[in-house]
Amino acid sequence: GQLGNDKIPNYQFYSTVSSVGSPTLNGVAFASVAQNRMANSTIKWEVTTQTDIGIDLGFMNNKLLITADYYDKKTTDILVRVPLVSSYGVGEAPFRNAGTVRNKGFEFGAAYRGGNKKKLGYEISANIAHVKNKLETLGVTGAKEIFTSDYKNTQVGRIAEGEPIGHFYVLNALGIFQTQQEIDNYKDKNGNMIQPLAVPGDLKFEDVNGDGVISANDRVNAGSSFPTFTYSLNGSVNYGRFDFNMMWTGSQGNKIFNGLDLGGILMQGAGYNNKTEILNRWTPSHTNTDIPRVSMKDLNRNNTYSTLYIEDGSYLRLKYLTFGYSFGENIIGKNISKLRVFATFQNLLTFTKYSGFDPEIGADVDYSSNIYGVDRGAYPQARTYILGVNFNF
């Protein structure tokens, strides 16, 4: 099947102007405007073509249910803003139909219902999903990549042909220089020091292209913000008038750019609090750490976006846990058909290696739809305790 998508702001086929101040000529002020968005009168809907093969099975009078699904989804003429060169003098790039993206994946689910009809009933279900995406072509002449996911005026992500969307593109931090001899011995093929401004306690960066200089050209694909797979587990039990429900959710294989560490462990100056992890920084007497030394004069640029800030975002979370009890007719009478009291706990437990507030980062809708898995310090999902009463007349 095929579906169209036009979900971009309205009137993108018009160019717009905005006020740029009030210049004066011979002492007289004039209102002035300038173009701030270029028009694109040729844009059209993007199109998604999807092939889906699925099967649903029921066994033992539908006590055991199994569902499996495989899909291959190809999106063409994608509506995206392709950056303009600054010489255009326009701040907002127009939308274009550019690029082809393919998503392939599978979903598998199973559920089992058991117990006896008189007193005990239970159901257990689980599902797992995997998706692999790739930008097949950018659709722009002479361009093979777009740098995106802006954070503090620097791009931490990249969209490139032949690679997954949403991957981080940063320098590869190899560890911390422990001695001056290590710095002196880190040389290029011509015998020149690669990081001559470094001192013990500074980060060591990989010279990927071998030119002897650490620069933006040495950035690497440091992992994707999209998980390898997501999963969930649900369970419910009814015993007499008691009921119990729980839901576990999780993801595996996704990465997170911990932006809080950028300002919290490297003494970035006024305007930033420091994290307690800064107490574990490198010092001549404390070298067993992965946090570089503290310096207000960072000649080595330890704060350059690197794998130092990339963390494993995998997690397992107890999303919901509910206990309930329904009263019988001998207590509630005939005027009320149902009276149930319950206690619900949300986000009660989370198991993760991520050091930030919450591993469920998602997209940063306040900045750009292209930003995924960048932790700017978003407020974490609260652990919630709910007591309630349900009744029907």
Side-chain angles (χ1 to χ4, degrees):
Q2 286 188 324
L3 291 173
N5 178 32
D6 67 336
K7 299 304 180 183
I8 61 174
N10 294 328
Y11 311 115
Q12 293 302 304
F13 47 84
Y14 288 130
S15 60
T16 58
V17 297
S18 63
S19 174
V20 293
S22 300
T24 60
L25 179 62
N26 297 327
V28 180
F30 293 87
S32 65
V33 295
Q35 185 177 7
N36 64 350
R37 188 181 73 200
M38 296 183 67
N40 183 1
S41 60
T42 63
I43 56 175
K44 58 185 179 180
W45 286 34
E46 66 182 36
V47 178
T48 295
T49 303
Q50 179 167 327
T51 300
D52 189 288
I53 301 173
I55 187 171
D56 294 308
L57 300 173
F59 301 94
M60 298 181 294
N61 293 323
N62 286 332
K63 286 186 176 181
L64 175 62
L65 301 174
I66 295 177
T67 178
D69 186 80
Y70 173 82
Y71 62 90
D72 185 348
K73 183 169 67 173
K74 184 177 182 179
T75 304
T76 58
D77 293 326
I78 297 175
L79 290 166
V80 63
R81 278 195 173 106
V82 179
L84 299 172
V85 294
S86 57
S87 58
Y88 273 96
V90 179
E92 185 176 322
F95 277 93
R96 295 179 56 179
N97 292 102
T100 299
V101 172
R102 169 160 267 155
N103 290 274
K104 295 181 179 180
F106 69 84
E107 298 179 8
F108 178 83
Y112 181 80
R113 302 187 183 101
N116 56 67
K117 296 182 179 179
K118 293 183 178 180
K119 204 167 187 180
L120 174 67
Y122 61 89
E123 180 176 345
I124 300 174
S125 63
N127 67 71
I128 184 171
H130 164 77
V131 60
K132 183 177 182 180
N133 70 65
K134 181 175 72 172
L135 177 68
E136 293 191 342
T137 176
L138 192 58
V140 180
T141 303
K144 298 295 182 182
E145 60 188 8
I146 297 176
F147 297 102
T148 181
S149 300
D150 183 80
Y151 186 72
K152 295 184 183 296
N153 299 318
T154 302
Q155 280 75 37
V156 299
R158 182 182 66 154
I159 299 174
E161 290 186 352
E163 297 193 45
I165 293 177
H167 66 266
F168 297 110
Y169 198 57
V170 295
L171 294 180
N172 186 24
L174 300 175
I176 295 177
F177 288 116
Q178 299 294 333
T179 63
Q180 185 61 45
Q181 185 177 4
E182 289 184 21
I183 300 172
D184 295 339
N185 292 337
Y186 189 39
K187 299 178 180 180
D188 62 14
K189 58 184 179 181
N190 298 319
N192 299 315
M193 294 175 60
I194 296 176
Q195 292 179 241
L197 300 180
V199 299
D202 283 339
L203 287 174
K204 178 181 180 180
F205 299 113
E206 182 181 5
D207 181 20
V208 175
N209 63 0
D211 64 356
V213 179
I214 302 299
S215 67
N217 296 325
D218 294 309
R219 289 176 292 180
V220 297
N221 184 336
S224 175
S225 57
F226 291 95
T228 304
F229 60 86
T230 58
Y231 56 92
S232 70
L233 173 67
N234 302 273
S236 64
V237 177
N238 295 282
Y239 183 78
R241 299 189 181 280
F242 291 94
D243 62 86
F244 164 81
N245 294 274
M246 69 173 180
M247 175 182 177
W248 294 82
T249 62
S251 72
Q252 187 68 37
N254 57 298
K255 301 295 183 181
I256 296 176
F257 180 87
N258 192 341
L260 292 180
D261 277 354
L262 188 66
I265 64 173
L266 291 175
M267 283 288 189
Q268 293 297 295
Y272 293 94
N273 280 326
N274 295 310
K275 301 178 66 176
T276 55
E277 284 82 352
I278 203 171
L279 299 175
N280 191 38
R281 66 193 183 276
W282 188 96
T283 66
S285 59
H286 178 63
T287 59
N288 186 24
T289 179
D290 58 354
I291 299 177
R293 71 187 183 97
V294 164
S295 172
M296 297 299 292
K297 191 176 182 181
D298 184 10
L299 299 180
N300 190 59
R301 297 187 63 189
N302 293 315
N303 63 346
T304 303
Y305 295 171
S306 69
T307 53
L308 175 68
Y309 308 105
I310 305 296
E311 297 187 36
D312 183 4
S314 305
Y315 71 92
L316 171 63
R317 170 168 282 170
L318 179 55
K319 198 69 176 179
Y320 298 104
L321 179 65
T322 298
F323 299 93
Y325 180 81
S326 299
F327 292 93
E329 185 177 308
N330 59 330
I331 295 179
I332 63 178
K334 296 183 178 181
N335 294 326
I336 299 178
S337 61
K338 181 179 180 180
L339 176 62
R340 175 176 175 266
V341 295
F342 67 92
T344 296
F345 308 91
Q346 297 179 0
N347 304 313
L348 188 61
L349 298 171
T350 302
F351 302 94
T352 182
K353 295 180 180 180
Y354 180 57
S355 64
F357 292 140
D358 194 332
E360 289 190 78
I361 302 299
D364 193 338
V365 296
D366 293 332
Y367 289 82
S368 168
S369 60
N370 290 325
I371 299 180
Y372 298 91
V374 177
D375 189 356
R376 299 172 181 269
Y379 197 83
Q381 299 183 65
R383 182 179 298 165
T384 307
Y385 307 91
I386 300 173
L387 297 177
V389 178
N390 299 130
F391 58 89
N392 298 331
F393 292 99

